[in-house]
Amino acid sequence: MSLNTLGADAEFDHACMRRAIALAAGVLYRTSPNPRVGCVLARDGHVIGEGATEAAGRRHAEIVALDAARGRGVDPRGCTAYVTLEPCAHVGRTPPCADALLAAGVARVVAASRDPNPRVAGGGLQRLAATGVRTECGLLENAARELNLGFFSRCERGRPWLRLKAAASLDGVTALPDGSSQWITSAAARADGHHWRARACALLTGIGTVRDDDPELTVRHVATPRQPPRIVVDSRLQLTPTARLLRSGQVWVAHLAGADAQRAAALRERGAELIEVAADPRAPGKIDLHALLRALAEREVGELHAEAGAGLNASLLGAGLVDELLLYIAPKLLGQGRGIAPFGPLASVDHALRLHRVELERIGDDYRWRARIAY
């Protein structure tokens, strides 16, 4: 059913869906690898229950909202469910939400977007419609998709949505010639960067960054219920078992075949999980980054946040794998030093990577640029 057949009170429909989207936005850090979903139940112009998806394996948004209504002593029969993503119709970590809505006697379901998961792909709405439930899809779809770019990318493209984060001076320097980079940007910018770490399914870096900076690469400056896995691109397994990021949490090390068995055993002893990836046929000795991202998608990584050095940044950009740039620019001039991503040289200015949907926001003393790349 198309949007031109929405109920007479379109303003109320929009208000309920905006509330559902706000509920989904409130669980940015919590649901990975599941999508962030919000649900509002309403009847006779009044909200009777609402909720958002919990951690993986726990209740989905529709179940939370139904439980909330019943907890208030309200029977949800005959209500409208506004949900930011089509109710699931398959058994995954939890039973199908479409079945729960049917059992509750919901009369109408308004979804912001269809579920791109091939196991659903319209099946949830079809199951509801087949039993007489009025179904509508597409209300505030773009806003709902923005919350789950990684989930849609994983399902539709077979690879994660890749955000590349960097901090630089106004003249584009990310580190001095000797590698010193602490701290180019302010504490406020660093804290803001941890917000983007927290919402990611996984964090990506290269062995050069680990060797030079020995980072923890954890979320520390914002409260979060989970720490994303850290992924190190390390073709020859050069990662030392004493690296700080091996002290806690999940670490995945992407390497080429034929890695040293003793090094591999030492890293596994420290809790690292090794992922063998094919070599790049165009760059011998390097990992095929396309293959790596496909492997990560199979591990349910949807939103991938990269904080790496110039070399890996350039390789990701050159491979056309970066979807979004997150750049923190400090009002400083550092002169000579390392750049964000020294790819090229380009044959012509016309070959430049073009940015769109550019957003600029002041963060403390610095500025945050967020932009999408048009390859």
Side-chain angles (χ1 to χ4, degrees):
M1 187 174 291
S2 62
L3 284 181
N4 59 11
T5 60
L6 279 173
D9 194 352
E11 184 176 348
F12 183 72
D13 284 345
H14 279 71
C16 287
M17 188 60 79
R18 285 194 297 270
R19 175 58 183 163
I21 290 171
L23 290 166
V27 293
L28 275 179
Y29 305 162
R30 190 172 73 188
T31 67
S32 179
N34 290 339
R36 300 122 182 172
V37 181
C39 179
V40 170
L41 305 179
R43 187 174 55 213
D44 300 325
H46 298 283
V47 173
I48 63 171
E50 63 180 30
T53 298
E54 297 177 335
R58 300 185 63 185
R59 297 178 300 172
H60 287 191
E62 298 93 324
I63 309 305
V64 177
L66 289 169
D67 288 348
R70 291 166 177 146
R72 297 169 56 191
V74 179
D75 185 346
R77 190 169 304 278
C79 76
T80 294
Y82 300 88
V83 60
T84 58
L85 187 70
E86 174 186 5
C88 60
H90 66 289
V91 177
R93 295 180 177 89
T94 60
C97 291
D99 289 355
L101 293 173
L102 285 173
V106 170
R108 177 174 172 241
V109 174
V110 181
S113 64
R114 293 190 183 276
D115 191 331
N117 186 338
R119 300 174 70 183
V120 183
L125 291 177
Q126 290 172 8
R127 182 179 298 186
L128 292 163
T131 59
V133 176
R134 293 169 56 200
T135 61
E136 299 156 11
C137 187
L139 182 61
L140 301 182
E141 180 176 7
N142 289 340
R145 281 182 65 104
E146 279 292 312
L147 288 173
N148 291 301
L149 288 170
F151 178 71
F152 279 92
S153 177
R154 174 167 66 84
C155 293
E156 295 174 348
R157 303 189 301 177
R159 68 173 178 85
W161 176 271
L162 178 55
R163 178 183 303 110
L164 192 156
K165 179 261 183 183
S169 62
L170 191 60
D171 49 351
V173 175
T174 61
L176 298 180
D178 65 358
S180 301
S181 62
Q182 295 181 333
W183 296 103
I184 292 176
T185 53
S186 65
R190 296 195 296 276
D192 188 76
H194 279 234
H195 153 75
W196 295 94
R197 284 185 185 180
R199 63 171 285 168
C201 295
L203 310 178
L204 180 71
T205 194
I207 185 59
T209 297
V210 176
R211 184 179 56 240
D212 294 346
D213 299 340
D214 195 19
E216 291 182 64
L217 206 62
T218 54
V219 181
R220 299 184 300 280
H221 298 308
V222 296
T224 178
R226 53 175 286 277
Q227 288 287 347
R230 280 81 41 85
I231 304 159
V232 183
V233 178
D234 183 12
S235 301
R236 298 188 300 276
L237 285 188
Q238 296 175 298
L239 180 63
T240 172
T242 59
R244 294 175 68 198
L245 56 73
L246 289 170
R247 294 178 183 175
S248 63
Q250 289 182 285
V251 177
W252 303 341
V253 184
H255 66 94
L256 295 175
D260 183 276
Q262 287 187 328
R263 292 180 181 177
L267 291 175
R268 291 193 181 98
E269 182 69 22
R270 294 286 290 143
E273 184 175 349
L274 274 55
I275 305 174
E276 184 178 309
V277 183
D280 188 338
R282 296 161 299 182
K286 291 189 175 182
I287 282 174
D288 184 333
L289 295 173
H290 288 272
L292 172 59
L293 264 62
R294 289 194 298 270
L296 294 180
E298 292 173 359
R299 290 168 174 254
E300 295 189 295
V301 173
E303 191 170 324
L304 183 61
H305 179 91
E307 294 191 27
L312 182 54
N313 287 348
S315 295
L316 291 167
L317 286 165
L321 293 172
V322 178
D323 296 296
E324 185 173 69
L325 290 177
L326 189 69
L327 303 180
Y328 294 88
I329 305 299
K332 301 173 182 176
L333 297 175
L334 295 180
Q336 293 185 352
R338 302 181 184 182
I340 295 171
F343 61 92
L346 301 177
S348 165
V349 173
D350 292 336
H351 297 161
L353 292 180
R354 299 185 181 276
L355 306 181
H356 65 108
R357 297 189 60 165
V358 178
E359 300 173 4
L360 176 64
E361 183 174 343
R362 184 165 184 172
I363 307 291
D365 296 330
D366 308 311
Y367 288 88
R368 184 187 70 204
W369 290 80
R370 184 184 176 203
R372 307 278 165 82
I373 298 181
Y375 289 101

